[in-house]
Amino acid sequence: MGLCFSCSRRVNRVEYQRPQYRVVDGRRYHNLQNSEYKLANDEPEIYRLQRYHFALKEIWDGNFQSPVDEILRKGASVLEIGCGPGTWIIDMAKTYPRSSFTAIDISPVFPKTDIPGNVEFIQYNLLDGLTMANSSFDFVHQRYLVGGFKQEQWRNQVIQELLRVTRPGGWIESVETDTEWPSEGDATQRLGKSLSEMLRSKGLNPKIGQELPEIFEKTGGFSEIRNKSITIRLGEKGGKVGEESLRFAVNGLRSGGPFVREFMNISTEHYNALVEVMEIEAHHNVTLMKQYRVFGRKKVEPIS
């Protein structure tokens, strides 16, 4: 079902479609037919995303890398894709009260209280085509959708749709992470390899973060493209950020556990034991997580 969007859209509004959930091994998941996203949308997953937001902010020294601070302070229009519980967009809305913020996600896990007046949440799937008009936003942000879009969708639909709703001269930023963690630990290697193989089996690209600069470039819609990467040592030897990143990784494996376990063809008990061993291995072996930020400025068409 489409959602109407107009220039005079209301703020501080939450639109819900009828929830479509399924429960697998005691964890709650969306039940959409046109999404391969396999992470849970229950309370433990919401907490995982909320907690890691603040670690990410420290890792990257802020909520974004695009040069948009000045326009946000003056008042701009921002869209977030795959907002989850809305931690990033609420943090941004409080920092930039003159700007307006719209966030979409396939699952209605948005907060119900303490929503700033300049924020709007909408349950929607980008793959259905955004209902927003062309050139609606000054800044578009998304992160951790490696498991949300197939390779062909990244190349033929996702970035093109973001470009369509971005104003000329506006910025698009995408944050991704690899799904394998280089390590000497056997459990860590096995889990990372299995997760990546499962994603590939569904047409997803576990290395999408590395390929986004090329995908941005091939659209022909950007006048400038930048990319940055950060390598984090997981576990206590990586400091507070390393411990938070390890917690984020192992709880992510638990969140998607029923599907990874099924792909590996092992029991729940065996899978959970592997995840526990991975957590131990990271404290004794060098275990790395690599993250990427790709951000580009939409072309400004010359005045004829």
Side-chain angles (χ1 to χ4, degrees):
M1 180 177 71
L3 298 172
C4 294
F5 231 78
S6 66
C7 295
S8 59
R9 69 181 188 277
R10 292 173 288 159
V11 297
N12 202 20
R13 173 172 59 88
V14 179
E15 279 197 21
Y16 294 102
Q17 298 174 348
R18 178 178 297 177
Q20 298 182 50
Y21 300 131
R22 57 175 170 158
V23 176
V24 184
D25 290 356
R27 300 296 300 266
R28 190 186 72 182
Y29 300 86
H30 76 80
N31 198 28
L32 299 178
Q33 297 300 309
N34 65 337
S35 175
E36 294 291 346
Y37 193 74
K38 299 301 184 187
L39 294 180
N41 61 13
D42 52 14
E43 288 299 322
E45 176 66 3
I46 289 171
Y47 179 71
R48 181 181 83 100
L49 296 174
Q50 289 174 330
R51 179 166 181 152
Y52 199 56
H53 164 78
F54 297 100
L56 270 179
K57 192 175 180 180
E58 181 176 345
I59 291 166
W60 289 97
D61 192 26
N63 278 325
F64 55 86
Q65 296 291 303
S66 301
V68 294
D69 178 74
E70 184 176 351
I71 64 168
L72 289 172
R73 292 190 184 281
K74 292 178 179 178
S77 185
V78 180
L79 172 67
E80 184 182 19
I81 306 296
C83 66
T87 316
W88 181 88
I89 210 150
I90 287 177
D91 192 5
M92 288 286 289
K94 291 178 178 179
T95 305
Y96 300 102
R98 292 186 177 180
S99 290
S100 61
F101 296 85
T102 302
I104 70 169
D105 199 280
I106 60 173
S107 294
V109 294
F110 318 124
K112 295 180 174 62
T113 59
D114 195 29
I115 303 173
N118 56 339
V119 173
E120 178 176 40
F121 290 102
I122 301 174
Q123 183 188 0
Y124 202 75
N125 187 347
L126 179 145
L127 297 178
D128 293 330
L130 296 174
T131 59
M132 296 79 166
N134 295 348
S135 304
S136 293
F137 299 97
D138 300 290
F139 182 40
V140 178
H141 174 270
Q142 62 179 24
R143 69 184 180 197
Y144 295 156
L145 293 174
V146 59
F149 303 130
K150 294 182 178 181
Q151 172 81 354
E152 63 190 46
Q153 292 166 338
W154 280 107
R155 292 189 173 274
N156 302 322
Q157 181 179 1
V158 174
I159 304 304
Q160 286 87 341
E161 187 67 355
L162 301 187
L163 274 167
R164 182 185 67 78
V165 300
T166 302
R167 293 187 179 116
W171 287 82
I172 297 171
E173 182 164 334
S174 187
V175 186
E176 291 298 339
T177 184
D178 283 344
T179 58
E180 293 185 47
W181 311 277
S183 171
E184 296 176 357
D186 291 339
T188 305
Q189 291 182 38
R190 183 179 178 188
L191 286 166
K193 182 178 179 181
S194 297
L195 174 58
S196 293
E197 289 177 351
M198 184 196 77
L199 293 175
R200 289 190 186 98
S201 74
K202 298 182 179 300
L204 304 165
N205 182 357
K207 301 288 187 181
I208 193 64
Q210 299 178 32
E211 297 184 17
L212 276 176
E214 176 198 359
I215 293 173
F216 272 47
E217 182 69 35
K218 286 189 174 181
T219 66
F222 294 93
S223 60
E224 181 180 355
I225 299 170
R226 307 180 196 177
N227 66 87
K228 296 182 178 182
S229 64
I230 287 180
T231 301
I232 302 162
R233 180 167 181 176
L234 301 183
E236 58 188 16
K237 293 182 180 179
K240 179 182 176 183
V241 163
E243 290 185 295
E244 288 294 332
S245 296
L246 175 61
R247 183 178 292 108
F248 180 74
V250 297
N251 286 334
L253 285 168
R254 292 182 175 116
S255 179
F259 307 101
V260 185
R261 173 189 62 75
E262 182 181 35
F263 179 82
M264 297 173 72
N265 195 28
I266 60 176
S267 69
T268 299
E269 293 74 18
H270 188 180
Y271 180 81
N272 290 340
L274 280 175
V275 175
E276 289 179 7
V277 172
M278 173 183 164
E279 191 165 11
I280 295 169
E281 286 177 345
H283 294 302
H284 299 283
N285 300 293
V286 176
T287 304
L288 304 175
M289 171 190 285
K290 194 158 187 179
Q291 300 194 10
Y292 309 87
R293 279 187 187 261
V294 182
F295 46 108
R297 184 173 185 258
K298 182 177 176 178
K299 286 181 176 178
V300 177
E301 297 297 332
I303 300 174
S304 56

